[in-house]
Amino acid sequence: MKAHDGMYIDGAWRPAAGPDTIEVVNPADEQVVARVPAGTAEDVDAAVRAARGALPGWARTAPAERAARLAALRDVLTARADEIARTVTAELGSPLAFSQAVHAGVPIAVAGSYAELAATYAFEEKAGNSTVHLEPVGVVAAITPWNYPLHQIVAKVAPALAAGCTVVLKPAEDTPLTAQLFAEAVDEAGVPAGVFNLVTGLGPVAGQALAEHPGVDLVSFTGSTAVGRRIGAAAGAAVKKVALELGGKSANVILPSADLAKAVNVGVANVMSNSGQTCSAWTRMLVHTSRYDEAVELAAAAAAKYGDRIGPVVNATQQTRVLGYIDKGVAEGARLVAGGSEPPREQGYFVSPTVFADVTPEMAIAQEEIFGPVLSILRYEDEEDALRIANGTVYGLAGAVWAGDREEAVAFARRMDTGQVDINGGRFNPLAPFGGYKQSGVGRELGTHGLSEYLQTKSLQF
């Protein structure tokens, strides 16, 4: 798609307030594919004012009409799915087949789920002699990351619109083209002017101005825990609501009764998906000592198959960060059984699919989010040891448990300090709440729980 040289504000593309631009680079070949405006505080203010102006009318719009606009948005995204996939591939470097199936397919499903929820959700309920009304929070600042550019946008914007909120979106500077395409889709779907607004720009400038703007009622942010802390502090000072989806270091616990080959192969695929740039990736594989050596051999063989199947990481900074963690793992004494810190190609920000064995829980590669195609395999002695290791990080976003008996897996999963656990390879569910415990964030996305983040409660007594 051709990049817009302005911001989408109040239903139209408008010139940016300042002259600065951001280069969009294809990480697979390091070529500049487009330039977009670098928004300023002035752009943010114009967008927030437009959102505030549109709020009363959209909040009063019948849920059925809001549902109709979301259904139209889903249909536009479906019609433009190939364009979406090509755009994500151009700015994120994701292989086209993965972009088609995941980067385009998943957000279309999520948009459809909120079209249905908006039409059926009970925005009013009885409680004794009271009527409880669930009303929109107000103007939402949606600040999204680059790793799943359209999914993260839809996971915030769709429930906000379903709730009757208006939105200002600030997408990641690495993947703004997908956000511009989404703005076009919103316009084509007939969403009223000002209900959705887009400002592209850098996080420390446009992102900070948006998070701190007094006209914003809720900040929904997905990204690093460090930035999430700053946003939470700023929002707390202004007494405004936040929803934070932050880092992860998820455990994939393989109990002795599990189908080991399946658990290992699915686990490796999970880590390599999207070049390891998934906050919920199962980057720690926990295996009983009696089956450990076999699991390591299986994982190394599985990782070797991904050498030509995964794309690059998003930029040079991220490549340097991931390769640095691989070197750190070797320095800490972990055993490299696949991959390594030598870039596999001369051009592009590629990282070899990497697997470490003999990883101990205190190592940095077992504690810190790497955000690349790097798997750490840890051994445990018994279930209590496995639980201690699984729960032994500051994060708690996702995880997995494998066992021959489903109830055995469920019993273990119930004791994990994490927001979502897949049992024996459970499938993605766009209706299931997603979000973390501990430093993985506050709040939930997707389904009714995701919708409730954008609602506030008023009770009338009779």
Side-chain angles (χ1 to χ4, degrees):
M1 65 169 288
K2 182 180 178 181
H4 291 273
D5 59 3
M7 311 299 185
Y8 183 76
I9 296 175
D10 207 14
W13 292 96
R14 299 184 175 184
D20 293 341
T21 61
I22 298 169
E23 291 185 341
V24 183
V25 177
N26 185 332
D29 60 15
E30 303 180 44
Q31 299 301 304
V32 175
V33 296
R35 288 176 175 82
V36 300
T40 65
E42 185 178 345
D43 295 305
V44 168
D45 185 64
V48 173
R49 288 179 183 276
R52 291 225 70 86
L55 179 61
W58 185 246
R60 289 194 300 266
T61 299
E65 175 57 22
R66 300 201 295 259
R69 292 309 98 214
L70 286 168
L73 175 61
R74 172 203 58 206
D75 293 345
V76 174
L77 293 175
T78 301
R80 301 182 69 172
D82 286 343
E83 183 182 4
I84 291 167
R86 291 195 304 272
T87 300
V88 174
T89 292
E91 61 183 355
L92 184 63
S94 173
L96 185 58
F98 188 81
S99 293
Q100 291 168 330
V102 178
H103 288 297
V106 171
I108 288 170
V110 172
S113 74
Y114 278 113
E116 295 178 8
L117 269 175
T120 58
Y121 192 82
F123 290 95
E124 180 181 314
E125 60 187 35
K126 294 290 186 181
N129 65 306
S130 301
T131 301
V132 179
H133 296 268
L134 301 176
E135 301 179 342
V137 168
V139 174
V140 172
I143 303 175
T144 57
W146 45 261
N147 59 328
Y148 289 91
L150 184 60
H151 169 64
Q152 295 290 353
I153 290 170
V154 171
K156 297 180 188 305
V157 175
L161 299 190
C165 296
T166 56
V167 179
V168 179
L169 169 67
K170 206 297 287 184
E173 49 263 36
D174 291 288
T175 54
L177 302 181
T178 303
Q180 289 190 343
L181 195 156
F182 179 78
E184 293 177 358
V186 167
D187 194 79
E188 189 176 340
V191 175
V195 171
F196 170 82
N197 307 272
L198 168 67
V199 176
T200 55
L202 301 175
V205 180
Q208 183 171 339
L210 182 57
E212 296 178 351
H213 198 289
V216 167
D217 301 294
L218 182 153
V219 182
S220 179
F221 169 79
T222 297
S224 72
T225 297
V227 176
R229 288 193 191 101
R230 294 199 295 271
I231 288 176
V239 196
K240 66 176 66 175
K241 189 175 181 182
V242 294
L244 304 174
E245 197 265 278
L246 308 175
K249 194 69 181 176
S250 301
N252 179 17
V253 182
I254 304 175
L255 296 176
S257 63
D259 180 336
L260 184 66
K262 182 178 181 181
V264 170
N265 282 314
V266 174
V268 170
N270 176 277
V271 173
M272 302 306 158
S273 178
N274 208 38
S275 303
Q277 299 169 127
T278 304
C279 53
S280 58
W282 311 333
T283 51
R284 295 181 297 144
M285 181 179 289
L286 278 57
V287 185
H288 188 267
T289 187
S290 64
R291 310 191 74 183
Y292 186 83
D293 292 340
E294 182 184 358
V296 169
E297 185 176 343
L298 288 168
K305 299 176 182 178
Y306 286 88
D308 296 325
R309 292 167 57 184
I310 65 173
V313 294
V314 69
N315 55 38
T317 299
Q318 187 65 16
Q319 183 192 43
T320 299
R321 170 187 167 85
V322 176
L323 297 179
Y325 269 108
I326 295 172
D327 286 337
K328 185 179 290 186
V330 172
E332 289 180 318
R335 177 164 54 101
L336 195 63
V337 297
S341 61
E342 184 68 26
R345 305 186 194 183
E346 292 184 2
Q347 187 178 46
Y349 308 125
F350 290 88
V351 176
S352 295
T354 297
V355 177
F356 280 106
D358 300 338
V359 179
T360 56
E362 72 278 1
M363 291 181 180
I365 58 171
Q367 290 290 323
E368 299 173 19
E369 186 175 44
I370 298 173
F371 228 60
V374 181
L375 171 66
S376 296
I377 309 180
L378 298 89
R379 68 175 76 235
Y380 67 86
E381 299 297 330
D382 54 32
E383 283 197 15
E384 291 304 314
D385 190 34
L387 186 68
R388 176 186 62 80
I389 296 170
N391 290 341
T393 75
V394 298
Y395 298 111
L397 187 57
V401 182
W402 300 78
D405 177 70
R406 176 177 172 177
E407 294 309 311
E408 178 188 6
V410 169
F412 188 95
R414 291 290 300 272
R415 300 171 69 195
M416 293 175 70
D417 297 335
T418 193
Q420 190 173 80
V421 184
D422 291 349
I423 305 297
N424 289 336
R427 293 179 293 111
F428 172 76
N429 177 8
L431 300 178
F434 179 76
Y437 287 22
K438 301 187 285 187
Q439 291 187 29
S440 285
V442 293
R444 292 296 181 268
E445 293 185 329
L446 305 181
T448 57
H449 293 270
L451 178 57
S452 67
E453 295 292 333
Y454 300 92
L455 295 167
Q456 56 189 348
T457 305
K458 178 186 291 179
S459 60
L460 304 179
Q461 281 64 251
F462 297 95

